[in-house]
Amino acid sequence: MVVHLLVFLLSCRIQAVGAQMKLSPETLTVLRGEEARFTCSPNTQWTAMVWLLDGTVALTISKLHGVLPSTNTNVTAEKSQISKDSWVFVLKSTERNNQGQVTCDLQDFDRKTASLFVQEKGSVKVFGDNKLAFQGQSVLFECQAVGWYPEPRLQWQVNDRKVSQGEYNISSEESGKSLFTVSSNLSVTAAKSSYVCCLASVSALPTPLKSSVRLTVVAEVVQEGDDCTVPLAVTASLSALLLLLLLCICTVLCYRQRRQAKPSPQAAIWFDQSEVGKRSVAEVTAGEVNLGYSSEGPTDADYNELIMTTHSQKDFASFRKAPDVVHCSSLSVHSESQEEENYKNIKRITTV
């Protein structure tokens, strides 16, 4: 009977002491390199407060002398502003090996334990630059989050709208340092120009890391001021019409230039007749004209002019139907006799 009474009194004393001691927070998650803070609040008389990391003493606090020197320079303690007997244990820069149990031990009274989790933030990247696509075309985007612990949550957004997880795939692998790499592919049907974002996060990260690229649909031109779209087909049609008009103008100008450069039919006739007159004398004599010879009679120019005048008066009406000149001796003699009748003075010709 006495034994049972002693056990009952001891359990009541332990519960009373336990109710008087508090350690907060009970669970803390931080990113690697950040500060971790735990508050131990005893509500009874105590002599020494010992802080332990995974069972190893990290810091000792004396109620009379305060924080005692420690070999661990990464930890410290400071008095709480809430209660005069409360102390805050500070882990200055957390590392992955600090993850585990944090214990506040009140000597000869009680102890409380909390859990510390240390996460690691990596990087996230959408591969490739900004993309162009035709309307209705399927465009593939690839995102990769590297160097995270634990495995990060990967998510896609299109114009700030979350994409359903069933629309993209996710694969993950763990490296030798217990860091995770997560990859994901997303296929987007180009409907309008938009921003495609990939987000990666862990619970200790307040805001997810984001990487984004611009998807431009070439079937439209976005005017941000009025928030309206102008079909590209209209612009292409106007350009084609202007090009066709320019081509027509160039064709007309080239045609007019060629018409101006082409000689008139009458000028061509005079030129042909003058050439025939020049060749007739030389062809009759079967020799060459001595250009150094001169006489008091009419010159070659006068002679050719007279011949052309005579021929034009006789055959003007039918010169278009005249056959080609026949080079024969009889025709040359006959032509020479006719010229002697029409002119009294004929230039002498020297045959070489």
Side-chain angles (χ1 to χ4, degrees):
M1 185 70 179
V2 176
V3 174
H4 290 288
L5 181 61
L6 291 175
V7 171
F8 175 75
L9 292 175
L10 181 61
S11 62
C12 290
R13 186 174 189 277
I14 292 174
Q15 290 179 359
V17 173
Q20 293 173 355
M21 180 181 179
K22 182 179 180 182
L23 178 62
S24 62
E26 294 182 357
T27 301
L28 179 62
T29 303
V30 295
L31 291 175
R32 184 177 70 88
E34 291 183 347
E35 190 178 74
R37 303 172 72 91
F38 292 90
T39 302
C40 185
S41 303
N43 197 14
T44 185
Q45 295 297 324
W46 58 278
T47 305
M49 179 184 294
V50 180
W51 289 91
L52 301 93
L53 293 176
D54 275 342
T56 303
V57 176
L59 186 69
T60 302
I61 303 173
S62 171
K63 187 174 183 181
L64 296 177
H65 302 92
V67 180
L68 300 180
S70 173
T71 58
N72 191 344
T73 59
N74 195 38
V75 296
T76 187
E78 58 188 34
K79 282 191 173 183
S80 173
Q81 303 295 330
I82 300 175
S83 174
K84 63 178 182 178
D85 283 339
S86 297
W87 284 84
V88 179
F89 174 74
V90 180
L91 189 58
K92 299 177 183 179
S93 179
T94 55
E95 296 293 337
R96 289 279 304 279
N97 56 9
N98 296 137
Q99 179 169 292
Q101 303 297 318
V102 178
T103 304
C104 177
D105 186 5
L106 295 179
Q107 297 294 314
D108 299 331
F109 287 98
D110 196 9
R111 63 167 50 191
K112 285 288 184 178
T113 300
S115 298
L116 173 64
F117 297 95
V118 180
Q119 298 181 347
E120 191 153 353
K121 177 181 67 174
S123 61
V124 62
K125 175 68 176 178
V126 177
F127 291 104
D129 299 325
N130 296 334
K131 297 187 178 183
L132 295 175
F134 292 104
Q135 194 168 19
Q137 181 181 357
S138 180
V139 184
L140 183 64
F141 296 91
E142 182 179 357
C143 176
Q144 190 174 69
V146 181
W148 294 77
Y149 180 84
E151 181 179 336
R153 180 188 179 190
L154 211 64
Q155 191 174 20
W156 289 92
Q157 288 184 354
V158 178
N159 275 351
D160 296 330
R161 181 185 63 84
K162 291 183 179 181
V163 179
S164 173
Q165 191 171 358
E167 299 181 22
Y168 56 89
N169 63 339
I170 293 179
S171 61
S172 175
E173 62 180 4
E174 185 177 359
S175 65
K177 295 182 179 180
S178 299
L179 297 177
F180 289 87
T181 298
V182 179
S183 301
S184 178
N185 294 324
L186 172 67
S187 181
V188 176
T189 301
K192 63 178 182 178
S193 298
S194 56
Y195 285 97
V196 179
C197 303
C198 179
L199 297 89
S201 64
V202 289
S203 59
L205 192 63
T207 304
L209 292 186
K210 180 170 65 173
S211 176
S212 62
V213 294
R214 172 76 174 174
L215 173 62
T216 302
V217 181
V218 298
E220 64 177 6
V221 178
V222 180
Q223 296 180 353
E224 297 181 355
D226 299 329
D227 195 16
C228 62
T229 58
V230 180
L232 186 62
V234 175
T235 305
S237 300
L238 293 176
S239 301
L241 289 176
L242 292 176
L243 183 61
L244 182 60
L245 180 60
L246 182 61
L247 183 61
C248 292
I249 293 175
C250 292
T251 304
V252 172
L253 292 177
C254 291
Y255 178 76
R256 292 184 60 184
Q257 186 175 4
R258 291 184 63 183
R259 285 287 303 274
Q260 292 176 358
K262 186 176 180 181
S264 62
Q266 186 175 1
I269 294 171
W270 282 99
F271 178 79
D272 292 339
Q273 289 179 352
S274 64
E275 289 295 322
V276 171
K278 290 179 181 179
R279 291 196 305 265
S280 60
V281 176
E283 290 173 352
V284 170
T285 59
E288 298 181 358
V289 179
N290 187 359
L291 300 178
Y293 180 80
S294 62
S295 66
E296 297 179 357
T299 62
D300 289 345
D302 298 333
Y303 176 75
N304 291 333
E305 183 178 358
L306 290 173
I307 292 176
M308 287 187 292
T309 304
T310 304
H311 282 277
S312 63
Q313 290 177 356
K314 291 181 179 180
D315 302 326
F316 182 79
S318 60
F319 74 93
R320 295 180 182 272
K321 298 180 181 180
D324 295 337
V325 177
V326 178
H327 302 285
C328 63
S329 59
S330 61
L331 182 60
S332 299
V333 174
H334 180 68
S335 299
E336 185 176 359
S337 62
Q338 288 182 352
E339 292 170 359
E340 288 176 356
E341 293 176 0
N342 293 329
Y343 305 95
K344 292 181 179 181
N345 296 325
I346 300 177
K347 181 176 66 174
R348 296 177 184 179
I349 300 173
T350 303
T351 303
V352 181

